[in-house]
Amino acid sequence: MGYIEPAPIKDKENPFESMMSRFHIAAQALGLDDEVYNVLKSPAKQVVVSLPITMDDGSIQVFEGYRVIHSNILGPSKGGIRYDLGVNLDEVKALAAWMTWKCAVVDIPYGGAKGGIKCNPRSMSAGEIERLTRAYTAALGEIFGPDRDIPAPDMGTGPREMAWLMDEFSRAKGMTTNAVVTGKPIVLGGSLGRSEATGRGVMVSTLAAMEKLRINPYHATCAVQGFGNVGSFASLLLEERGVKIVAISDLSGAYYNESGINIKEAINYRNENDGTLDQFGGAEKIEGTDLLTLNADVLVPAATEDVINMTNSDKIKVKLIVEGANGPTSAKADQVINDKGIMVVPDILANAGGVTVSYFEWVQNRLGYKWTGERVNRRSDRIMKDAFDNVYKISKEYNVSMRIAAYIVAIDKVAKTYKWRGGY
Ligand SMILES: NC(=O)C1=CN([C@@H]2O[C@H](COP(=O)(O)OP(=O)(O)OC[C@H]3O[C@@H](n4cnc5c(N)ncnc54)[C@H](O)[C@@H]3O)[C@@H](O)[C@H]2O)C=CC1
Ligand SMILES: O=C(O)CCC(=O)C(=O)O
C-alpha cells in the first residue's frame, strides 16, 4: 500500500490552549491559588533539536525533534515519543501537560513529559528510522535518565524504537540502563502486559462507565477510531467481554459491519498488510469521519487530537465516549457533548493504563526482577478501576463532567505535593 496522508482536521484548535481551558475551569472549581496556577500553566523545560540524518539514497535530511517536560513535581518526568508529520511544539506541550495530569489521576510517582519528531515513519526505511532514533537519543542524552525523564512509545513508535533508544543511551553511559525507557521488547526488560496496557485500561474504563450508565456489555455496540496499539487492543478486549465492535478505522478509511467485526481477523489482516486495514474484507468500507457519528452505544476515539470538534459534535449519537487517544475532543466541543448528556471518560483517565504498566516496567527494571503477566494485569486493572471510581465520585461532589473532575483530582494532587516540597 502507498502512504495515505491523513485528511486535515477541520477547525483544529491549538492543543495547548485546549488543555489550558480545561485546566483553568478545574483550577477555579478547586480554588487553586495564583502561585501554583502560574507554576503549573507553563512547562518546566522545552527542548527543540535539529537532527541531520543520512537517508538511504545518500542525501542528508534535517528533522526537528522535541522534548517538553511539563512538570517533575511528582517525580521524574514520563511520557511517550511520537513520530508524525503533525508533530509541533504546541502539540508536544499539550501532550506533556496531559502526562502530568494522567500520572496524578492514577497516583503514580511521575511528572509529565512528551517528545516527538516531525517525520513520516511510514515513508522511511527501518535503517533511516533507527538513525533518526539514535540521533534524537544522543541529542537528548542529558535530559533522559531513569531518575530524570523516562520516554515510552506513542503514535508512530513502539518496542523497536524503544530498544534503539535504550541501546544508544546505554552506549553513551557505558552501562546497560534499561530503566531509561519503557515499552521495550520483553527480552530487553520490557514488562509483560505493556503492549496491551493502554487498550486494556480503555476496556476497564469502558466497563466501569457502562455499569454507571446501566448498559449491558453483551447488548452494547461500539465504534473504535484508530487501529494501532491502543485501538486494536481496546477493540479485542472489549469484544472478549461481549461488546459488539461494529466499526473500526485507520488512515485508509473506516470499516462497518452491523453484525460485529471479527477483531482477531482484523488484527491478523493488519499485521499481514503492512500495518493497514486497506481493502479489509470483513466489513463494508465507509468514510473515516462517518464512524464518529454512527448509531452505536460507545465511541472510542483512539487515533489523534480534535477529531470530535465543532463540525461534528452535534451529530454524535453514542451514550458514552471513552478517549483512548490524547485530546480527541476539542475544548469547544466539550460543551456540546455535555449538553447532549453523553458521558465522556477523558483521556487523562481512560488511556492511563499504558503509563501505569510503564511504571511497573520501570519498577521491575530497578528491582532486576520480572512480574508475571497475571500480576501486571491484576494490579493495573485495580489502579484503573480505583481511579475511575475516584473521578466519578469527584464529578458528583463538584457537579462537573468526568473530564473536569479528572483535572480536579490531578491538579489537587500536584498542588499539594508542590506546597509540601516548597518553591524556590
Ligand atoms: N501507545 C500508548 O501506549 C498510548 C497511546 N496513547 C494515545 O493513543 C493514540 C493512538 O496511539 P497508538 O495507538 O500508540 O498509535 P499507533 O501509531 O499505534 O496507531 C495510530 C492509529 O491511528 C490511525 N489514525 C491516525 N490518524 C487517524 C485519523 N485521522 N483517522 C483514523 N485513524 C487514524 C492510524 O492509521 C493507526 O491505525 C494517540 O493519541 C496516543 O497519544 C495514549 C496513551 C498511551
Ligand atoms: O507509557 C508511558 O510512559 C507514556 C505513554 C504515553 O505517552 C501516554 O500515556 O500518552
Side-chain angles (χ1 to χ4, degrees):
M1 183 205 78
Y3 168 64
I4 302 168
E5 276 289 343
I9 293 165
K10 284 190 192 137
D11 284 350
K12 193 163 168 42
E13 290 174 23
N14 177 309
F16 191 72
E17 284 168 16
S18 271
M19 185 286 298
M20 275 309 296
S21 71
R22 280 81 172 246
F23 169 75
H24 186 78
I25 297 169
Q28 277 189 325
L30 200 56
L32 190 71
D33 67 44
D34 287 353
E35 178 193 341
V36 185
Y37 184 98
N38 287 330
V39 169
L40 296 180
K41 78 174 192 196
S42 323
K45 190 178 282 191
Q46 307 176 47
V47 185
V48 183
V49 292
S50 184
L51 306 166
I53 304 300
T54 307
M55 306 305 280
D56 290 347
D57 65 5
S59 66
I60 303 279
Q61 210 173 306
V62 183
F63 294 86
E64 195 150 88
Y66 306 86
R67 186 74 180 168
V68 173
I69 295 177
H70 172 258
S71 163
N72 45 22
I73 291 170
L74 293 186
S77 50
K78 187 89 188 79
I81 299 173
R82 177 173 291 194
Y83 288 1
D84 191 78
L85 278 178
V87 167
N88 61 69
L89 188 58
D90 270 335
E91 182 185 65
V92 181
K93 276 166 64 181
L95 289 162
W98 282 322
M99 286 308 305
T100 302
W101 313 137
K102 191 181 305 187
C103 293
V105 165
V106 285
D107 200 15
I108 59 177
Y110 289 138
K114 202 82 175 197
I117 303 178
K118 190 178 171 62
C119 68
N120 174 7
R122 289 169 294 270
S123 70
M124 294 168 71
S125 70
E128 288 167 343
I129 297 175
E130 176 172 357
R131 292 193 286 282
L132 185 58
T133 306
R134 289 187 183 278
Y136 177 77
T137 308
L140 293 164
E142 295 310 312
I143 305 265
F144 297 151
D147 293 306
R148 285 200 291 266
D149 179 38
I150 309 141
D154 189 71
M155 238 167 90
T157 62
R160 182 183 70 166
E161 288 73 18
M162 302 306 114
W164 290 328
L165 194 155
M166 185 276 239
D167 181 69
E168 189 65 27
F169 184 88
S170 298
R171 282 172 197 241
K173 300 292 166 201
M175 59 183 174
T176 298
T177 312
N178 58 8
V180 68
V181 64
T182 60
K184 299 178 290 292
I186 305 288
V187 70
L188 292 191
S191 179
L192 291 167
R194 176 60 186 88
S195 295
E196 51 275 48
T198 310
R200 189 177 175 91
V202 169
M203 175 273 289
V204 171
S205 310
T206 306
L207 295 187
M210 280 182 172
E211 201 181 315
K212 298 291 181 203
L213 297 173
R214 298 184 195 285
I215 301 174
N216 180 341
Y218 286 92
H219 298 154
T221 55
C222 175
V224 180
Q225 184 194 43
F227 207 65
N229 174 276
V230 181
S232 63
F233 278 116
S235 302
L236 185 68
L237 295 167
L238 283 168
E239 185 193 44
E240 280 174 12
R241 277 143 188 93
V243 178
K244 195 193 283 179
I245 310 296
V246 290
I248 55 176
S249 73
D250 67 7
L251 283 168
S252 70
Y255 303 84
Y256 174 72
N257 183 341
E258 72 169 345
S259 312
I261 293 171
N262 181 326
I263 298 300
K264 269 199 190 122
E265 215 173 272
I267 291 176
N268 288 340
Y269 181 88
R270 178 203 63 188
N271 292 348
E272 286 160 13
N273 287 278
D274 232 2
T276 174
L277 289 168
D278 197 27
Q279 313 283 333
F280 174 59
E284 174 200 344
K285 188 159 184 184
I286 58 170
E287 274 302 311
T289 44
D290 288 350
L291 174 142
L292 300 166
T293 53
L294 281 175
N295 226 332
D297 298 303
V298 186
L299 173 63
V300 176
T304 188
E305 292 101 63
D306 272 4
V307 293
I308 299 171
N309 54 44
M310 291 309 278
T311 67
N312 58 13
S313 45
D314 60 326
K315 300 184 199 82
I316 302 229
K317 299 182 191 74
V318 293
K319 304 179 186 101
L320 171 65
I321 297 174
V322 184
E323 296 185 334
N326 287 304
T329 309
S330 78
K332 285 186 192 146
D334 275 353
Q335 195 55 47
V336 181
I337 298 290
N338 288 344
D339 290 348
K340 286 168 77 84
I342 299 170
M343 184 195 253
V344 178
V345 186
D347 45 9
I348 58 172
L349 169 62
N351 70 34
V355 74
T356 300
V357 176
S358 275
Y359 168 54
F360 296 163
E361 181 171 328
W362 179 81
V363 167
Q364 291 170 77
N365 292 160
R366 309 202 91 194
L367 288 172
Y369 187 70
K370 265 190 178 304
W371 295 358
T372 61
E374 191 273 334
R375 186 181 204 181
V376 168
N377 290 342
R378 185 166 29 84
R379 290 191 173 194
S380 62
D381 289 357
R382 183 76 265 148
I383 287 180
M384 289 302 295
K385 179 66 170 56
D386 286 352
F388 179 93
D389 289 343
N390 189 31
V391 169
Y392 188 81
K393 182 175 82 102
I394 296 292
S395 79
K396 296 292 162 209
E397 217 172 276
Y398 282 79
N399 193 23
V400 293
S401 66
M402 287 285 282
R403 187 186 309 286
I404 297 304
Y407 275 77
I408 289 175
V409 168
I411 296 169
D412 188 43
K413 179 167 169 78
V414 178
K416 281 184 177 140
T417 310
Y418 172 80
K419 287 281 182 192
W420 275 103
R421 291 184 68 162
Y424 292 108

